[in-house]
């Protein structure tokens, strides 16, 4: 991975650090106000520097990390993890939230029926959807 000293765009860095699968998803998150740099919202082209603090909101997760390195190209996950350090408080909060979801039985998402609906059930589902 190519680690640089000069500033890098936030959307590129988030993609290179593997917070988002694509750069366009990182851009959408930034435009949606899900990313804060040093406590302020930003635009996708904002330059970040080593030492900046990022707050990344992904779904129910909130990750607070410090930028340790800059990269413009995406590399292996082991290299991407060297680009930032998550704060201890952020890790504790995420772990507590993960445990709360596990205890509540929502680890995999919504509750699903044990089997696929048959033809009659699918028709009933469609009728309910049409009435909405």
């Amino acid at each position: 991975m190519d680690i640089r000293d000069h500033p890098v765009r936030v959307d590129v860095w988030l993609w290179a650090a593997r917070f988002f699968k694509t750069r366009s998803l990182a851009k959408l998150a930034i435009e949606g106000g899900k990313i804060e740099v040093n406590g302020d919202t930003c635009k996708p082209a904002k330059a970040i520097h080593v030492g900046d603090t990022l707050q990344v909101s992904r779904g129910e997760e909130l990750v607070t990390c410090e930028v340790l390195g800059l990269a413009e190209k995406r590399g292996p996950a082991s290299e991407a993890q060297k680009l930032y350090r998550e704060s201890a408080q952020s890790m504790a909060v995420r772990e507590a939230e993960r445990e709360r979801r596990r205890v509540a039985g929502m680890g995999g998402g919504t509750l699903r029926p044990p089997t696929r609906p048959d033809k009659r059930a699918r028709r009933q589902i469609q009728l309910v959807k049409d009435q909405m």
Side-chain angles (χ1 to χ4, degrees):
M1 178 174 288
D2 187 21
I3 297 180
R4 305 200 177 260
D5 291 333
H6 67 277
V8 177
R9 289 173 56 117
V10 176
D11 59 344
V12 173
W13 187 87
L14 288 167
W15 167 74
R18 294 181 170 261
F19 279 96
F20 295 96
K21 196 168 187 174
T22 65
R23 202 174 131 205
S24 55
L25 287 176
K27 182 180 174 189
L28 287 174
I30 294 167
E31 290 171 347
K34 307 286 186 193
I35 310 297
E36 291 183 4
V37 178
N38 297 326
D40 296 324
T41 57
C42 62
K43 293 185 178 181
K46 177 167 176 56
I48 61 168
H49 305 83
V50 173
D52 285 348
T53 303
L54 282 166
Q55 202 169 36
V56 181
S57 177
R58 292 183 301 184
E60 295 179 5
E61 272 187 339
L62 183 64
V63 179
T64 303
C65 62
E66 177 187 356
V67 177
L68 299 178
L70 302 174
E72 291 181 334
K73 295 188 179 184
R74 191 174 171 107
S78 59
E79 293 293 318
Q81 290 173 348
K82 296 176 186 175
L83 297 176
Y84 63 93
R85 177 179 48 233
E86 186 176 0
S87 69
Q89 180 183 6
S90 174
M91 285 192 281
V93 168
R94 282 193 319 121
E95 187 59 38
E97 191 63 27
R98 184 180 299 128
E99 183 65 21
R100 184 193 63 76
R101 284 193 308 269
R102 186 189 68 77
V103 169
M106 298 177 7
T110 60
L111 299 174
R112 296 176 188 252
T115 60
R116 288 183 54 181
D118 60 1
K119 188 173 188 175
R120 180 172 179 253
R122 284 194 305 270
R123 286 182 178 165
Q124 289 173 339
I125 291 169
Q126 191 59 47
L127 284 173
V128 169
K129 285 183 178 180
D130 290 342
Q131 291 174 357
M132 291 182 170

